[in-house]
Amino acid sequence: MNDYLSLDQQLCFAVYETSSEFNKLYTKALEPFNLTYPQYLVLLALRENDGLAQKEIGEKVRLGTGTLNPMITRMTANGWVTKERSTGDSRSVVISLTEKAKNSKRDIALAIKEAIERCGIQSNEYFELMKLLGSVRDKMKKSRMEQA
Amino acid sequence: MNDYLSLDQQLCFAVYETSSEFNKLYTKALEPFNLTYPQYLVLLALRENDGLAQKEIGEKVRLGTGTLNPMITRMTANGWVTKERSTGDSRSVVISLTEKAKNSKRDIALAIKEAIERCGIQSNEYFELMKLLGSVRDKMKKSRMEQA
DNA sequence: TGAATATATATCGTGTACGATTTAATTTTA
DNA sequence: TAAAATTAAATCGTACACGATATATATTCA
């Protein structure tokens, strides 16, 4: 029981610190493009499937309307995406990549790839970590869903 | 190279999602105590070493003054810590746990322990994940420091 | 000692995050 | 079909998170 009480030994803190490091790495790599880290995640989601509704983007990047709405407004102002009411269901809004967003795909990916490689993270630990994180994340999510 | 371009395959996103799940778990477990997750991390830091300066807390929980200052002000208002200018060096501020904070230690730890156990995270994956996260975090931090 | 430098907080601006409420449009159903 | 329920965005309030600047106190050293 006492094992849980020390700051250094808490898994939450290890996740929190690593998340913070990723945030800093991406912030720095994306700065020249005038993009933030969560904004970049939205671009990635749209690259997998352009023209999503805001709600669908939210499901992909796990963000609610209170976060996404102002964020996408900013991305629109910065010329990364466009926003228009769906013709089919005019409650929903369709978000699409601009030409600028499509054209800068390679440059952005390269900047991030370089930043990641500079850290010297090994391929095997990359995938092992992904696997473990996925497992823990799913358990936590499942447990959270069951409570509601 | 193309491996890096999909959202699902990005380590950053796995960390981000897991961090978000921890945040939600702790938020829920700490809600009855009127404590947020980062505030709880500050309490943990003070339990390891009470009477730290704000700067020292910042080093432990990796937060800057722009975040910590208002946070600790809120924690003072909520009766978790006290704040007073150091007698030795009146630039620095000494943060100490209140009786309330000391007395609720067990109750809070129990609430979190229960929430974690409900998820069914195995002990071996807990420690394996800690190890991998620590390794990646250190590499990222080292790389970040070298750039400056 | 007095000016330059360093240090610890405090403050400010921007951008997430999230729960709760509001508004507008669509679907369900009585 | 009209009222009720649902849904998608938008808005609001609170709380991080961080870089930059300001302020007050200490320290250094010419």
Side-chain angles (χ1 to χ4, degrees):
Chain A
M1 165 71 180
N2 232 309
D3 302 346
Y4 279 94
L5 292 177
S6 149
L7 178 55
D8 293 332
Q9 295 194 11
Q10 301 230 357
L11 180 55
C12 70
F13 194 58
V15 174
Y16 173 84
E17 283 183 297
T18 311
S19 180
S20 158
E21 284 299 335
F22 269 105
N23 216 318
K24 281 169 187 161
L25 182 146
Y26 276 78
T27 298
K28 188 147 204 167
L30 293 169
E31 196 176 44
F33 302 98
N34 195 27
L35 268 177
T36 68
Y37 175 45
Q39 285 172 13
Y40 172 67
L41 295 179
V42 169
L43 283 194
L44 284 184
L46 287 170
R47 275 173 190 161
E48 286 183 4
N49 198 338
D50 202 0
L52 291 172
Q54 208 178 91
K55 178 185 160 55
E56 294 170 310
I57 295 179
E59 282 160 7
K60 278 209 172 195
V61 299
R62 302 163 62 87
L63 290 173
T65 171
T67 305
L68 268 182
N69 195 295
M71 195 168 111
I72 288 177
T73 298
R74 276 187 290 271
M75 290 178 77
T76 303
N78 291 336
W80 292 110
V81 295
T82 59
K83 219 174 154 172
E84 50 181 334
R85 288 278 161 190
S86 167
T87 46
D89 183 340
S90 60
R91 282 171 306 183
S92 69
V93 164
V94 176
I95 316 292
S96 310
L97 293 171
T98 60
E99 284 309 305
K100 170 182 165 185
K102 288 174 189 164
N103 292 337
S104 46
K105 176 173 174 173
R106 286 250 155 261
D107 290 343
I108 298 176
L110 200 62
I112 290 170
K113 184 174 147 71
E114 280 174 4
I116 294 277
E117 282 176 354
R118 239 194 322 268
C119 298
I121 297 171
Q122 301 304 314
S123 177
N124 61 328
E125 80 182 331
Y126 186 100
F127 290 108
E128 184 65 21
L129 187 46
M130 286 273 291
K131 205 178 70 186
L132 276 173
L133 283 170
S135 163
V136 165
R137 177 205 58 203
D138 289 346
K139 283 179 183 175
M140 296 181 78
K141 188 174 180 179
K142 187 159 169 281
S143 165
R144 180 164 58 83
M145 294 309 194
E146 282 167 3
Q147 279 213 267
Chain B
M1 165 71 181
N2 232 310
D3 303 344
Y4 280 95
L5 291 179
S6 150
L7 178 54
D8 293 332
Q9 294 194 13
Q10 301 230 354
L11 181 55
C12 69
F13 195 58
V15 174
Y16 172 82
E17 284 183 296
T18 310
S19 180
S20 158
E21 284 298 334
F22 269 104
N23 216 319
K24 282 168 187 161
L25 183 147
Y26 276 78
T27 297
K28 188 148 204 168
L30 292 169
E31 197 175 42
F33 302 99
N34 195 26
L35 267 177
T36 68
Y37 176 44
Q39 284 173 15
Y40 172 67
L41 295 180
V42 168
L43 283 194
L44 283 184
L46 286 171
R47 277 175 189 158
E48 285 183 6
N49 199 337
D50 201 1
L52 291 172
Q54 208 177 92
K55 179 184 160 53
E56 293 170 310
I57 294 178
E59 283 161 5
K60 278 209 170 191
V61 299
R62 301 164 61 90
L63 290 173
T65 169
T67 304
L68 267 183
N69 196 295
M71 194 168 114
I72 287 177
T73 298
R74 278 187 291 270
M75 291 178 77
T76 303
N78 291 336
W80 292 110
V81 297
T82 59
K83 218 174 155 173
E84 50 179 335
R85 288 279 161 190
S86 167
T87 46
D89 183 342
S90 62
R91 281 172 306 182
S92 69
V93 165
V94 176
I95 317 292
S96 310
L97 294 171
T98 60
E99 284 307 307
K100 170 183 166 182
K102 288 175 191 166
N103 293 336
S104 45
K105 176 174 175 175
R106 286 249 155 258
D107 291 342
I108 298 175
L110 200 62
I112 290 170
K113 185 174 144 71
E114 280 174 5
I116 293 277
E117 283 176 354
R118 238 193 323 269
C119 299
I121 298 170
Q122 301 303 313
S123 177
N124 61 329
E125 82 182 330
Y126 187 101
F127 290 109
E128 185 64 21
L129 187 46
M130 286 273 291
K131 205 178 70 184
L132 277 173
L133 283 170
S135 163
V136 166
R137 176 205 59 203
D138 288 348
K139 283 179 182 172
M140 295 181 78
K141 188 174 179 180
K142 187 158 170 285
S143 166
R144 180 164 56 85
M145 295 306 195
E146 282 167 6
Q147 278 214 271

